[in-house]
Amino acid sequence: MYSIIGLTGGIASGKSTASAYIREKGYPVLDADHFSRKATAKGGPSFDGIIKAFGKDILDEDGEIDRKKLGSIIFNDKEKRQELNDLVHPKIRRMMNEERDRLIEKGHVFLDIPLLFENGLDSQCDITLTVYADKVIQKKRLIERNELTESDAESRISSQMPLSKKRDLSDVTLDNNGSREELYNQIDAFLSRLEK
């Protein structure tokens, strides 16, 4: 019997690093962000609705959605963020579910979903896994990675469910306050338990 594992975290918590490592270990990882890009790309199932809701100002010179422009709107406006989620999430869910149902026949499947708990998708998982980092470390990584001001980093972090809450809701926590090696060791331990 194969498991569906929901993998989540917060911005700059190390979820993508964990996800990439799990993929390297040979497990399929369905990334919600990948499906989000497919849904919102020019000609994608959510594209027209987003332009109708947010206007043509969010397009880049190639006529694609400029994710930075859209991000600056939704990270500071809860209602606009909800509007975007309502346009995009059902399409992402449908595409991911089709892929998951195809892959679960062959082995364990990881679902990399930033809003796993927020959208109640943990109910579709056999195991939930949160990549956790303290808020101070999260903010430091985010400022360095995205070259943000402290207040921009703060608003992005506070636009998400606190990682401490995700950790408390999760079946398994990967503590990513240390080195990459320490994170990989925890993932290895989890995968070996999974295979037993």
Side-chain angles (χ1 to χ4, degrees):
M1 182 70 186
Y2 297 118
S3 296
I4 294 166
I5 301 107
L7 174 67
T8 195
I11 194 164
S13 70
K15 182 181 59 62
S16 299
T17 302
S19 184
Y21 185 71
I22 291 165
R23 198 176 276 120
E24 268 175 42
K25 290 287 180 180
Y27 293 88
V29 179
L30 303 183
D31 181 350
D33 288 340
H34 165 77
F35 288 97
S36 168
R37 282 190 283 279
K38 278 174 81 166
T40 59
K42 205 189 285 187
S46 300
F47 183 84
D48 292 339
I50 293 169
I51 303 311
K52 197 172 170 190
F54 291 89
K56 290 188 172 162
D57 291 345
I58 62 162
L59 295 175
D60 63 19
E61 58 274 4
D62 299 325
E64 291 283 358
I65 291 169
D66 184 321
R67 292 170 77 85
K68 247 189 176 138
K69 283 182 191 168
L70 186 57
S72 67
I73 296 168
I74 64 159
F75 281 119
N76 296 304
D77 186 331
K78 203 174 179 179
E79 284 171 16
K80 286 287 188 191
R81 188 161 60 243
Q82 190 55 53
E83 188 177 358
L84 180 68
N85 289 345
D86 292 343
L87 286 165
V88 180
H89 288 171
K91 311 285 193 301
I92 296 171
R93 219 166 288 155
R94 195 189 72 239
M95 291 188 288
M96 279 186 88
N97 288 348
E98 286 169 4
E99 191 73 356
R100 176 202 65 204
D101 294 346
R102 191 177 65 75
L103 291 167
I104 196 69
E105 301 294 317
K106 300 180 194 109
H108 303 293
V109 178
F110 286 80
L111 305 178
D112 178 340
I113 305 176
L115 302 176
L116 184 76
F117 294 112
E118 293 90 328
N119 291 335
L121 298 172
D122 54 307
S123 64
Q124 296 178 16
C125 301
D126 303 306
I127 304 166
T128 53
L129 195 59
T130 293
V131 182
Y132 175 82
D134 293 332
K135 193 173 179 183
V136 175
I137 289 176
Q138 201 184 0
K139 186 154 66 168
K140 182 176 176 281
R141 286 179 185 156
L142 185 58
I143 289 168
E144 286 170 9
R145 185 186 78 188
N146 293 26
E147 296 175 8
L148 297 176
T149 65
E150 193 154 330
S151 69
D152 277 348
E154 189 64 51
S155 79
R156 287 182 182 218
I157 291 168
S158 61
S159 76
Q160 299 183 333
M161 180 189 284
L163 270 177
S164 55
K165 189 170 181 188
K166 289 187 182 194
R167 177 192 60 200
D168 296 345
L169 290 168
S170 206
D171 297 316
V172 179
T173 301
L174 300 171
D175 185 311
N176 192 27
N177 286 312
S179 69
R180 190 171 282 211
E181 281 314 303
E182 289 169 300
L183 177 65
Y184 289 169
N185 290 339
Q186 292 172 70
I187 294 169
D188 288 338
F190 172 77
L191 294 175
S192 73
R193 287 198 306 273
L194 186 65
E195 292 306 337
K196 284 175 188 158

